[in-house]
Amino acid sequence: MSPSLHEHLSHPEWQILDRDWDASNQHNAETLFTLGNGYLGSRGILEESPVGSQPGTFFAGLFDDTGAQVTEMINAPNPISFILAVGGEKLGVPAMDALQFRRILDMHHGLLYRETLYRTAVGKSRIHYESLRFFSMANPHVAVLRIAVTPLDQSMTFSIRSAVDTSVTNRGLVTEGAKRHFHIHTFSNVNGTSYLCTKTLEQEVLIAYASMVTAKVNSRTVRQQRRKFDITVEKGQTAVLTKFISIYTSRDVSTRAIRSKTLKTLQRAAAAGFDKLVTRHARRFQERWRDCDVRLEGDPALQRALRFNIYHLLIAASAHSPAGYSIGARCLSGEGYRGHVFWDTDVFILPFYVHTMPDVARKLLMYRIERLDAARDKARAHGFQGAMFPWESAGTGEDVTPTWHKDFDGKVIEIHTMQQEHHITADVACAAWHYFVATGDVPFMLEGGLELTLEAARFWASRVTYDRKYRRYGVENVIGPDEFHENVDHNLYTNAMAQWTLRTARALYEQLRRSHPATVRTIAKTLKLRRTELERFREIEERMYLPQDKRTRVLEQFAGYFKKKKLPLPDLDDSGLPRFPTSVPLSKVHSTQFIKQADVIMLGFLLPERFTRETLKRNFVYYEKRTLHKSSLSASVHGWAAARIGLRDLAYRYLRIAAETDLKNVYGNTADGMHAAALGGTWQVVVKGFCGAHLEQGILCFDPRLPRKWNSVEFRMMWKGNPLRVRVEREALILEWQGTRTGRPKRDRVLPVQVYGNPHRLEADREYCFPSQRPNIRKIGTSGLF
Ligand code: IFM
């Protein structure tokens, strides 16, 4: 037997292992084992496409409309399809008996490995089968699948068929059926090199694949001349079959050049050979990990889960992602939410990219900036000013929220998020501001960030109404993050985020006007921005209504919430989250105080400096008893809050739920793709919750407090263009702001930080060790709002 393909894998601590074939878990496993490189994602189906498998090949930002209720991310032809048969029996589960089966996702190297021991029905002969595949992080247009097959009991002749599978469809969600979004444009097979070009139906984007297979038996490698061929392998010998694939779309190259480019890339890949390609790919993957890894000592299970979340963020977007792409709510791993972009990206996952790959974060924000005109159109269409970002966004930036959705009980219901869930406009502005503070990227602000923020503020200024009852401004008829209660007034999260946007827009404008007067003057002129308008921003912001019970000082989620029926929280299910209440039908849940995810706590998650620690605790204790967590966004927010108020065990419990959202299929729909918000939320619980990294008036602050189990946490976070090494130990916090360019002015080589509430200045490239203290229990921020 030749050396096992297993030798390409990294240390077991980096592996996600699937020990057995379980048909009932097939679709979930396909999601978990998704490979990708930010250019595309490929679900981890088995190469033989077992019965019922759901192949998924999703190109970043490639949507199409045809036949669907609304636009959806297209499921493109599946390039890894590869079938072996012996004596008419297909090697595959469940077609042939599998005596052993295992699959390993190697997160460190970005590889999917599989090993199966088959036994034929006729003759009961055993066949050892291994495969390894990757979608290159070094060259996003290259993918490779290698299969090593060894007959153990007798010599065998294998019939082999390699294809790019065009039989795939989008499955269709809720009310629409399955559909194929492409037709075949060109196909050829010359001397074993197959070329397939498909065209999407509406957008007419070409997607081209070239592929070829080499077979090595007895140390002789033969390039196959046909897509179907036979090879005979002696007992105990191994045949190594390698499928090289190249992939382009007409978004990457011109329509005229696509064929030659795809074929040329294939030839180059094949000439480089498997070993070189896998080494380059794995090296790139490891480089990514150097910037992104979070090392936990003392908790191997959580370490693996945390890395699993980070792995999926690494493949969801990268430097290879095309301009004009943002990450959908299920990344590139499934059709859930049709690939649409929600606030999940701006609020839950963007911070990860801001602090590990700021270039990617910038790209994700440019997605919003480039769609400002569509947001302006939406505002106008609703009778508002400025820019109103869509609740669900895809290619063009128009609102693509469907009007129908399947509820938790499987019933198809009408949804009103497109008309009423408006907080996203503030969330996007807040994401741009966080990016700016962390990176100091002034050109970003001048080239669109400021415009976006001012237009968002304009929207809120036109969206609020003056409420005579409270003699305050506020937003009426909205849905907050808690989607159980529709059409409410003065949703605390929405009002407070609108207020934040109005305040920040003014402050940002003044700040940039002082530093870059000419450019800001031009922006103001283009937007026809007047001083009186800025004054109006101030007036509204200062008189925004933030509902609160005067006696208990609990913030009210929306006006009238406290009067809703209070019911006891149901028991917890196996994942540790409350079951659905049986005391109230789903259609009546709005009449109760049950909430889907907590809006008030969510506000603290985004703007922690606005909460004193006592306020956060008071509200957390109140709302936790009412929160059903029927959203994958919920657990991480609660984990963060519990960590900040010192409830470490509870925080840890929520962290585990968030980290294992997909590994344990907590929401029962991992088959539809990874839950993007849980991926980014998990990272935030560790970095911002337990390690206490947060912002106060633009200063980076730390006040860590680790779960009892952990000995240390270590990670790097990008801050003002340079990595800051953070190591939290039981006894100390170690900070080192690394590698600042010596050419920088001296004042830029010092980083002001705050540790346990005390100011410090870190000189570049020096390690500082701060003895641990209990975090200042009294306050989180300096400017408590409530
Ligand atoms: O954005 C979320 C929303 O908050 C709750 N429903 C699912 C959406 C996508 O994850």
Side-chain angles (χ1 to χ4, degrees):
M1 270 168 73
S2 17
S4 165
L5 297 178
H6 190 270
E7 69 177 15
H8 294 282
L9 303 189
S10 185
H11 191 274
E13 72 180 24
W14 286 92
Q15 298 175 2
I16 300 289
L17 174 66
D18 184 13
R19 287 170 204 283
D20 231 329
W21 166 252
D22 172 4
S24 68
N25 193 43
Q26 177 171 206
H27 299 154
N28 295 330
E30 289 168 354
T31 296
L32 303 182
F33 292 135
T34 295
L35 294 177
N37 48 26
Y39 172 74
L40 57 70
S42 164
R43 281 168 65 77
I45 63 154
L46 300 179
E47 47 275 7
E48 71 267 22
S49 307
V51 175
S53 63
Q54 284 173 2
T57 309
F58 304 109
F59 286 80
L62 193 53
F63 293 90
D64 210 61
D65 288 350
T66 314
Q69 187 188 26
V70 286
T71 189
E72 64 185 356
M73 177 167 82
I74 77 155
N75 190 1
N78 163 28
I80 46 135
S81 170
F82 204 94
I83 293 168
L84 278 82
V86 63
E89 288 183 53
K90 177 180 165 187
L91 272 70
V93 288
M96 190 177 272
D97 277 353
L99 304 177
Q100 284 165 19
F101 177 94
R102 65 173 177 152
R103 230 180 326 181
I104 297 172
L105 174 70
D106 177 349
M107 303 180 283
H108 200 212
H109 293 171
L111 299 170
L112 185 57
Y113 169 81
R114 175 247 185 117
E115 184 180 28
T116 310
L117 183 62
Y118 286 115
R119 188 178 53 192
T120 58
V122 178
K124 304 286 179 216
S125 297
R126 291 167 311 142
I127 302 163
H128 182 254
Y129 177 102
E130 283 182 299
S131 74
L132 188 77
R133 80 174 88 131
F134 58 92
F135 284 75
S136 177
M137 195 55 102
N139 180 349
H141 301 285
V142 170
V144 182
L145 165 68
R146 173 164 274 191
I147 290 169
V149 62
T150 313
L152 299 179
D153 298 323
Q154 60 177 27
S155 70
M156 287 179 166
T157 299
F158 294 95
S159 308
I160 292 158
R161 187 164 167 270
S162 160
V164 172
D165 182 5
T166 53
S167 70
V168 297
T169 63
N170 279 68
R171 279 183 302 132
L173 297 161
V174 193
T175 49
E176 64 272 33
K179 66 204 108 18
R180 184 169 299 123
H181 279 286
F182 56 84
H183 63 78
I184 295 172
H185 180 261
T186 325
F187 177 74
S188 64
N189 185 27
V190 180
N191 300 333
T193 296
S194 295
Y195 176 76
L196 167 76
C197 184
T198 58
K199 193 187 237 184
T200 64
L201 299 183
E202 179 130 44
Q203 304 285 323
E204 303 197 333
V205 176
L206 299 181
I207 307 173
Y209 304 80
S211 62
M212 59 177 271
V213 176
T214 62
K216 183 175 160 198
V217 195
N218 277 338
S219 65
R220 234 187 97 230
T221 303
V222 180
R223 185 176 149 181
Q224 298 306 312
Q225 300 299 307
R226 294 191 318 265
R227 289 189 306 137
K228 291 184 194 171
F229 56 94
D230 290 350
I231 47 166
T232 300
V233 191
E234 299 301 321
K235 172 181 166 185
Q237 265 185 1
T238 301
V240 178
L241 306 156
T242 309
K243 180 173 185 176
F244 297 94
I245 303 155
S246 64
I247 309 165
Y248 280 88
T249 76
S250 54
R251 298 180 310 171
D252 321 316
V253 285
S254 70
T255 309
R256 254 181 339 117
I258 195 164
R259 182 189 174 96
S260 59
K261 187 77 185 163
T262 311
L263 290 170
K264 197 178 276 169
T265 298
L266 179 72
Q267 299 307 337
R268 286 218 179 112
F274 178 85
D275 288 339
K276 262 199 192 127
L277 295 178
V278 75
T279 306
R280 283 181 203 155
H281 161 73
R283 202 182 301 133
R284 278 301 167 84
F285 237 92
Q286 289 174 58
E287 281 164 18
R288 295 283 140 92
W289 278 107
R290 226 168 289 151
D291 299 331
C292 304
D293 194 19
V294 179
R295 283 180 294 284
L296 299 182
E297 268 174 36
D299 196 349
L302 196 82
Q303 170 74 87
R304 182 176 280 116
L306 175 60
R307 283 186 171 147
F308 178 70
N309 284 267
I310 296 174
Y311 163 81
H312 276 280
L313 291 168
L314 288 182
I315 63 168
S318 75
H320 303 310
S321 304
Y325 161 66
S326 186
I327 304 168
R330 297 305 190 91
C331 305
L332 296 169
S333 58
E335 285 177 45
Y337 291 109
R338 303 172 174 85
H340 293 175
V341 181
F342 290 69
W343 69 313
D344 307 32
T345 311
D346 308 279
V347 167
F348 286 84
I349 55 183
L350 199 97
F352 165 81
Y353 294 104
V354 166
H355 294 299
T356 59
M357 294 181 257
D359 293 352
V360 174
R362 192 184 214 268
K363 222 186 254 187
L364 298 175
L365 287 165
M366 288 312 292
Y367 167 87
R368 294 293 190 187
I369 289 173
E370 284 156 9
R371 283 154 188 77
L372 259 175
D373 278 343
R376 287 186 178 107
D377 290 347
K378 176 165 173 159
R380 245 194 322 271
H382 284 72
F384 304 123
Q385 289 165 18
M388 179 184 187
F389 283 99
W391 177 242
E392 295 187 27
S393 184
T396 62
E398 286 163 70
D399 201 321
V400 289
T401 312
T403 38
W404 299 95
H405 190 69
K406 225 178 231 169
D407 212 349
F408 299 101
D409 55 5
K411 283 196 188 127
V412 175
I413 51 158
E414 200 172 350
I415 50 168
H416 306 106
T417 46
M418 165 149 56
Q419 291 80 18
Q420 293 178 20
E421 198 151 353
H422 292 173
H423 60 82
I424 187 160
T425 292
D427 304 329
V428 171
C430 193
W433 181 79
H434 271 121
Y435 167 81
F436 175 59
V437 174
T439 59
D441 186 351
V442 174
F444 163 79
M445 269 300 165
L446 297 177
E447 287 159 22
L450 176 62
E451 187 177 335
L452 178 147
T453 313
L454 287 167
E455 288 288 66
R458 264 188 172 161
F459 164 71
W460 289 117
S462 68
R463 176 66 182 82
V464 295
T465 46
Y466 184 74
D467 193 322
R468 289 181 188 287
K469 182 167 159 205
Y470 305 110
R471 287 192 282 163
R472 287 270 188 273
Y473 289 97
V475 185
E476 295 179 344
N477 310 111
V478 279
I479 302 176
D482 159 34
E483 293 166 339
F484 283 173
H485 296 95
E486 299 184 330
N487 205 15
V488 299
D489 297 340
H490 303 301
N491 171 257
L492 180 99
Y493 179 83
T494 310
N495 276 13
M497 289 303 293
Q499 179 189 49
W500 178 90
T501 312
L502 292 159
R503 182 182 297 168
T504 304
R506 252 184 339 104
L508 198 60
Y509 175 79
E510 295 301 346
Q511 178 190 337
L512 292 171
R513 193 170 65 92
R514 280 193 297 275
S515 57
H516 298 78
T519 317
V520 172
R521 212 175 304 124
T522 313
I523 294 171
K525 205 166 162 197
T526 316
L527 296 181
K528 298 195 175 70
L529 184 75
R530 300 246 153 72
R531 210 114 292 270
T532 48
E533 198 173 0
L534 293 170
E535 279 312 311
R536 177 150 168 80
F537 288 1
R538 182 206 295 277
E539 191 213 327
I540 299 169
E541 174 236 305
E542 286 176 351
R543 304 191 64 194
M544 187 68 83
Y545 182 50
L546 302 172
Q548 184 172 29
D549 183 319
K550 287 210 178 65
R551 194 179 54 80
T552 61
R553 292 194 294 131
V554 171
L555 293 159
E556 191 174 25
Q557 153 140 326
F558 55 84
Y561 172 81
F562 290 144
K563 294 204 186 100
K564 300 262 173 197
K565 206 182 312 158
K566 159 112 176 51
L567 294 172
L569 202 65
D571 299 342
L572 304 186
D573 64 18
D574 292 345
S575 62
L577 295 178
R579 295 176 199 283
F580 256 114
T582 47
S583 49
V584 57
L586 204 49
S587 57
K588 290 279 180 295
V589 79
H590 63 86
S591 63
T592 74
Q593 288 187 348
F594 283 136
I595 54 183
K596 188 176 180 185
Q597 59 199 76
D599 296 27
V600 175
I601 307 308
M602 181 68 221
L603 183 63
F605 182 69
L606 213 50
L607 305 178
E609 74 273 23
R610 297 303 179 85
F611 279 74
T612 64
R613 216 175 276 271
E614 282 103 339
T615 316
L616 187 62
K617 189 165 188 174
R618 192 183 314 123
N619 284 284
F620 181 85
V621 169
Y622 179 88
Y623 282 107
E624 206 212 358
K625 292 194 210 96
R626 291 158 173 84
T627 306
L628 295 179
H629 301 287
K630 294 305 167 207
S631 157
S632 62
L633 282 57
S634 201
S636 58
V637 174
H638 280 70
W640 168 84
R644 298 319 301 140
I645 56 183
L647 303 175
R648 284 188 290 173
D649 294 344
L650 184 60
Y652 183 78
R653 199 164 68 71
Y654 278 119
L655 170 61
R656 278 206 82 126
I657 294 170
E660 294 173 348
T661 295
D662 290 302
L663 284 170
K664 296 211 167 145
N665 193 14
V666 169
Y667 289 91
N669 55 13
T670 289
D672 295 338
M674 296 295 299
H675 291 79
L679 304 179
T682 297
W683 183 88
Q684 293 197 57
V685 181
V686 176
V687 170
K688 299 187 172 180
F690 285 114
C691 296
H694 65 280
L695 270 182
E696 276 186 35
Q697 295 173 345
I699 302 287
L700 185 58
C701 308
F702 290 92
D703 55 354
R705 194 147 182 236
L706 299 187
R708 289 168 224 284
K709 249 184 143 162
W710 299 357
N711 300 324
S712 69
V713 182
E714 185 160 356
F715 58 91
R716 298 206 308 178
M717 64 189 291
M718 293 298 286
W719 189 258
K720 309 283 186 202
N722 286 97
L724 174 69
R725 184 171 71 86
V726 181
R727 183 173 167 83
V728 183
E729 298 176 350
R730 302 212 146 273
E731 306 302 325
L733 164 68
I734 295 151
L735 296 177
E736 186 190 357
W737 198 37
Q738 297 175 325
T740 43
R741 286 188 300 276
T742 40
R744 279 184 170 196
K746 213 160 178 202
R747 63 168 193 286
D748 285 355
R749 280 186 265 140
V750 174
L751 176 68
V753 291
Q754 195 178 293
V755 179
Y756 295 114
N758 302 315
H760 295 278
R761 291 165 69 76
L762 307 183
E763 280 178 27
D765 297 322
R766 272 190 57 187
E767 189 180 276
Y768 291 80
C769 182
F770 303 94
S772 309
Q773 291 172 25
R774 282 179 74 83
N776 183 346
I777 282 302
R778 227 180 55 71
K779 59 180 189 165
I780 289 183
T782 47
S783 59
L785 177 69
F786 304 109

